[in-house]
Amino acid sequence: MLETTPRAFAAPISTSQFSCVGERSGNQDAIGYHLDEYNACFVVSDGVGGNAGGELAARIAVDTALNTFVDNPSVAQHDIQQAVKAANDAILAKQRELADQSRMSATIVSLFVDRTSGQACWAHVGDSRLYWFRRGALMQRTEDHSLSERSGEAARGNGANGGERLVKTNLLYRALGARATAETTVSTPQRLADGDAFLLCTDGLWQLISQQVMERSLQLADSAEEWLALLRRAAEAKADESRDNYSALAVWVGFPQQVTLAGTAVPARQPG
């Protein structure tokens, strides 16, 4: 019997990103990705405000998660948890080195793809989000590890700017570097379909633009780059002097522009 080499998932993957400083003096957001013939990993992180070293913590989180995945490319939930754990451990190690940044921490949201099997899984800590769209409609988004999300504020009311700007500070109860153990939420593995689109972003973006704007922009876009250009323009139009850093990473599976309006999507599920 002849042995056959596993073939990669047929649908191509394209990506685009942006990161804006907003009205802040520096940018504490970090973005990175790895994409090869058989695997892919996409990571966004946001340094938690109020403590020194947020920018460094975010960069460490992204680089460590990516390097761990490259060393062991897997979408198994345990392996994904290990990638996030490695990021948490790396931040804690740097805290011990730098006394003046001993409380630095960061959020993380990450997407892991096995292109051979056509499966994806994602993980997050904090309030940086992943949105999953199919045929132009939201399928699922991550649930923030924040007091406002837990109390239902983020889900109940969109702010005056059209996004989910919260009246109270979006206090986190989970972040990388905050505890010795990273409490990570990992999704169940999902089968990818041609036309799936993912948006990974920091809270500075989703507080400015709504899910409806994300969907409408996706339905108008011909590429991942154009989708992000539309989202960035919408965010800039809503921003004010209190604007945070805002960053986004788009991942297109196949050709969303060809299948977005080809049928009715499954109704969006609750955040998870």
Side-chain angles (χ1 to χ4, degrees), residues 26-223:
N27 192 345
Q28 294 196 337
D29 293 351
I31 296 175
Y33 71 91
H34 168 82
L35 178 61
D36 63 35
E37 184 179 0
Y38 298 105
N39 303 283
C41 180
F42 307 87
V43 189
V44 170
S45 181
D46 179 7
V48 176
N51 297 322
E55 181 176 354
L56 177 59
R59 189 71 261 164
I60 291 173
V62 169
D63 292 346
T64 304
L66 286 174
N67 290 336
T68 304
F69 178 79
V70 170
D71 290 341
N72 179 31
S74 169
V75 297
Q77 291 176 302
H78 172 74
D79 292 329
I80 290 174
Q81 288 176 332
Q82 290 300 112
V84 179
K85 178 182 182 299
N88 189 66
D89 291 346
I91 292 173
L92 293 174
K94 186 60 68 173
Q95 288 176 352
R96 292 189 289 270
E97 288 182 27
L98 305 174
D100 60 336
Q101 299 179 16
S102 61
R103 298 182 63 189
M104 66 179 178
S105 57
T107 69
I108 190 171
V109 62
S110 48
L111 172 66
F112 303 83
V113 179
D114 182 334
R115 302 186 71 182
T116 301
S117 65
Q119 288 192 318
C121 199
W122 49 89
H124 77 289
V125 179
D127 62 356
S128 291
R129 291 181 177 178
L130 177 144
Y131 293 80
W132 171 29
F133 300 89
R134 177 167 288 175
R135 296 193 182 279
L138 181 69
M139 290 286 287
Q140 192 173 339
R141 77 158 171 86
T142 53
E143 182 178 356
D144 305 336
H145 299 138
S146 68
L147 298 182
S148 55
E149 179 88 287
R150 177 179 279 177
S151 66
E153 289 178 26
R156 281 199 302 267
N158 286 342
N161 281 345
E164 295 183 15
R165 184 177 296 280
L166 307 179
V167 176
K168 300 179 181 179
T169 301
N170 201 26
L171 297 175
L172 303 180
Y173 59 85
R174 292 187 194 175
L176 297 183
R179 293 193 178 114
T181 302
E183 298 180 74
T184 312
T185 298
V186 182
S187 75
T188 57
Q190 300 291 335
R191 177 73 63 178
L192 294 172
D194 184 15
D196 282 356
F198 295 89
L199 180 69
L200 289 72
C201 64
T202 59
D203 67 321
L205 184 74
W206 63 253
Q207 288 188 20
L208 289 175
I209 59 175
S210 66
Q211 170 195 319
Q212 290 72 28
V213 171
M214 296 175 189
E215 290 176 332
R216 187 165 62 249
S217 299
L218 177 59
Q219 293 163 10
L220 294 171
D222 286 327
S223 65

